Amino acid sequence: STYTATATGSQGSVTAEATVTVQAPIGPPTVTISASPATITQGSSSTLTVTATNATAVTVAGSDGSSYTLSTTGGTQTVSPTTTTTYVATAAGTGGTVTQQQATANATVTVTPGAPTVTIAASPTSVASGNSATLSVTATNATSVTISGSDGSNYTLPDTGGTQTVTPSTTTTYTATAAGAGPNATAQATVTVVAAGSIDSISHVIFMMQENR
């Protein structure tokens, strides 16, 4: 509004004006948040999209302990949670504080295990009959890990793998299997068994005899 002041005297009158500008009241802050994609496998990423109005500060906090600061209008944030995590966006402003937690998948990133992997190695790979070898197995994303030998032997290991001592009587191929989300993973290692007294089993003795001459 414009206000006019008028002064009148014997010499006439003078006026002056002043304008008062009235701004619309600022409403309370608002905020929305969504996650895309809402479901990821371990090691992958999701993007959080936040939109805020009437805010002086915008933050995002994850149930996994993570926290992020965005611009006063929101923005995007890439996240790579290792477990299913719910993210809460908070917008603070002169009208108070509004916190919106999206329901279900909109602000929750669900993490599913990746496909299982497995490796197996034998040490030594060749043994004399009656001797032992050690199988070393490493697995990831597995809910069960087993070893089966071509000689009919079977072993169960922890979900992450481990070691297993074997004493095959004949050359045996061992198959490690890791089961989990997605197709099973397999890997093989062979332990070759040589007869006691064979050239392979006594070659080191001959070498030592030659060295001692």
Side-chain angles (χ1 to χ4, degrees):
S1 300
T2 299
Y3 298 89
T4 303
T6 302
T8 302
S10 59
Q11 301 298 317
S13 60
V14 294
T15 61
E17 293 182 344
T19 299
V20 176
T21 301
V22 179
Q23 295 180 337
I26 298 176
T30 65
V31 67
T32 62
I33 183 173
S34 62
S36 180
T39 300
I40 63 173
T41 58
Q42 284 181 339
S44 298
S45 300
S46 177
T47 299
L48 305 177
T49 300
V50 177
T51 301
T53 62
N54 303 327
T56 57
V58 176
T59 58
V60 176
S63 57
D64 60 353
S66 59
S67 60
Y68 310 94
T69 300
L70 303 181
S71 72
T72 54
T73 57
T76 59
Q77 177 65 53
T78 300
V79 293
S80 300
T82 57
T83 60
T84 296
T85 301
T86 298
Y87 295 91
V88 179
T90 301
T94 56
T97 299
V98 173
T99 300
Q100 176 167 334
Q101 182 175 348
Q102 293 288 80
T104 64
N106 286 342
T108 297
V109 179
T110 301
V111 180
T112 60
T117 65
V118 68
T119 62
I120 184 172
S123 179
T125 57
S126 180
V127 297
S129 180
N131 289 348
S132 299
T134 299
L135 305 176
S136 297
V137 176
T138 301
T140 62
N141 302 325
T143 55
S144 67
V145 177
T146 57
I147 300 174
S148 59
S150 57
D151 60 354
S153 57
N154 290 282
Y155 310 94
T156 299
L157 299 181
D159 295 348
T160 56
T163 59
Q164 178 65 52
T165 300
V166 293
T167 310
S169 57
T170 60
T171 296
T172 302
T173 297
Y174 295 93
T175 301
T177 301
N184 292 349
T186 61
Q188 292 184 329
T190 298
V191 177
T192 302
V193 177
V194 295
S198 68
I199 293 177
D200 285 340
S201 65
I202 65 172
S203 58
H204 66 287
V205 177
I206 296 174
F207 175 77
M208 291 298 294
M209 292 174 62
Q210 291 174 337
E211 286 290 312
N212 291 328
R213 284 183 178 179

